[in-house]
Amino acid sequence: MQDNPMLRGLSALRDAWLQASAEPAHRLLVWRLPANASRLLAAFFEMQRHDEGRDTPDYFLRIDTAYELGFRYSRQIKRDLLERYLASQDELREQQVPLGWRGPHEAHADSAKGVVDVLESFVEHHREQMRLLAAVLEPERCVPGEGFECWVEAALAAGPGPRLRLMLIDSQEQPRWQGLLDRLGDKAGLITAEVDLFSIARDTAAQSGGRGPEVLYRQLMADMMLLIERGTPAQVAARAERAQGLALRQGWQEQQSVVQMMLAGSWLKHGDHAQAINAYRQARSAAEGARVAGNAAAPELVMQSWFGEAGCWLAAKQPERAAQTYLQASTSAASIPHPMFTLEGQRMAGWCQLQAGQREAARTHLLEAVRTAKPLSPADRKATTLPQALWDLLLLQDTRRCEKLQEVSAHYLQASTLLLEKADAQARALGPLPPRAELDRIDAQLDGALEQSFHRAQQERERVIQGGDEFFRKIVAVGRDFLDPGWNGLPAIEHPLDHDIPVWSEPPAMQPLPDPAALLQPAPAIPATPATTTGVALA
């Protein structure tokens, strides 16, 4: 394979892994890299799965099962492993890997030890194909508390053999597993490497083959990315001037806009709002020129420049100017059309007016954001900020009532966490080989208690909602029409077992609400004061 900066970065990860994994006492290894290197590490793991890219004698098994309870986590890992193994039979045959691994069975308990035993059996069956098996534990989500760390410690206590390593990943910016490393002592080790994706991108651009303006432009853009992260706005501006000049000479109007928005981001990062606003306006001017010339990307660049400028006004603590600019952003999005950003521009205009104390203007814009969602499908509505727009309207109408709804949510989360922690502790008390019947009993008791807690929270929230005035209840009715029949505010309280309403253990708490149809009728045109294109006053 041809040498290049990306491959050198992957090689650095390989060398770091081989050095760390050679320490026989370490059964847990924690990768700690800059946050921007996470995709490079994922690429390294993926390379080791394929013969054409593999450059270690090891196999990396990525496990992203969500963590809720130790025994449920263990059970799901075993199921996922078996499903993945069965689904990869054809691929394994092509690689001439011997099949026949038995997989998890009844002898493997629903515990950390059970998972370790399953992994050990996999290593043993494929001992000719690998030196080590590295089980990369990356839960897509974890419930609050220390349950996951307890599970990891229990897995290490189960005594993984010399050919198995457990692996976690954190970052230099957020070393979340440091406490675990400190507690485990010699059983755990840290893996670091001098890799940085910004530097790799710059070196790749600098060493890319070919000649001409495109190559130089790529190099200048890579320089700007690196300087935005680590340099000063003046340094970014110097590179931007060169990139802008090149784009101007080549007639790349859309790229002139991109360069100016990158420069605006640098000024904003360092708190110079006036310079950032001017840069966003320059970006918009270039994008408008590109749109006139028929460039397909130009309309979205125009929209992005409006949203960027609006964010600058908000950061400069001028919410009314921000509101007017968000309205321009909404209008720009509607012209594409892009309903998600049309809604978001109206919502943010309303939120900014609320910060400025302009309550009626805020209500007008927030209701317009809600109306924008009317023609969308339920799935598309959920992908927008409609829930937040509805919540902002509720806050505007009755702040104290919204605080009560949030208190119910907080109490529900606290109660659910305590129930999960209790069930986890009960399961751990059964030892490393817990009887399945006892776990099933704990499981059933937990599900019942969680459902009871959910229904109590639903009933309490409904009492709070029904005590609100007519406008408040109409807004909730819109949420139930547009989003979910059980919508009752933010943060949302989801059914703990993901059951649909027809199979809830108790009847829904929702009561009749006033018809919100009048709120959804088209409103008179909302005037938007155009933002000037010259001069920025931030006093």
Side-chain angles (χ1 to χ4, degrees), residues 315-380:
K317 301 188 182 337
Q318 294 206 28
E320 290 185 274
R321 291 294 299 270
Q324 294 303 320
T325 312
Y326 275 120
L327 289 179
Q328 295 283 357
S330 181
T331 300
S332 179
S335 71
I336 293 176
H338 202 314
M340 179 183 294
F341 286 104
T342 305
L343 187 157
E344 178 62 2
Q346 290 285 350
R347 185 190 75 82
M348 282 303 300
W351 189 85
C352 290
Q353 292 286 23
L354 187 57
Q355 306 313 301
Q358 303 297 323
R359 295 175 60 83
E360 287 311 308
R363 191 191 312 272
T364 298
H365 297 311
L366 289 169
L367 283 172
E368 189 61 26
V370 173
R371 295 184 189 107
T372 300
K374 187 176 181 179
L376 303 181
S377 69
D380 287 343

Side-chain angles (χ1 to χ4, degrees), residues 54-128:
R54 189 176 180 184
D55 58 358
T56 77
D58 308 315
Y59 184 78
F60 295 84
L61 178 67
R62 302 184 71 178
I63 300 172
D64 63 359
T65 306
Y67 184 89
E68 185 181 54
L69 290 171
F71 65 90
R72 287 181 177 175
Y73 181 65
S74 304
R75 186 180 301 166
Q76 191 61 46
I77 286 178
K78 293 187 296 176
R79 289 173 180 167
D80 291 346
L81 285 176
L82 182 57
E83 289 176 4
R84 288 164 64 178
Y85 185 73
L86 294 176
S88 63
Q89 300 288 289
D90 291 342
E91 180 183 347
L92 293 173
R93 287 191 188 94
E94 290 178 3
Q95 297 175 359
Q96 298 183 334
V97 175
L99 304 177
W101 176 54
R102 183 180 175 187
H105 50 80
E106 289 299 321
H108 296 129
D110 294 335
S111 64
K113 176 173 173 49
V115 171
V116 168
D117 289 345
V118 169
L119 295 174
E120 292 280 13
S121 73
F122 184 84
V123 175
E124 181 61 28
H125 185 79
H126 295 288
R127 62 183 303 114
E128 300 300 323

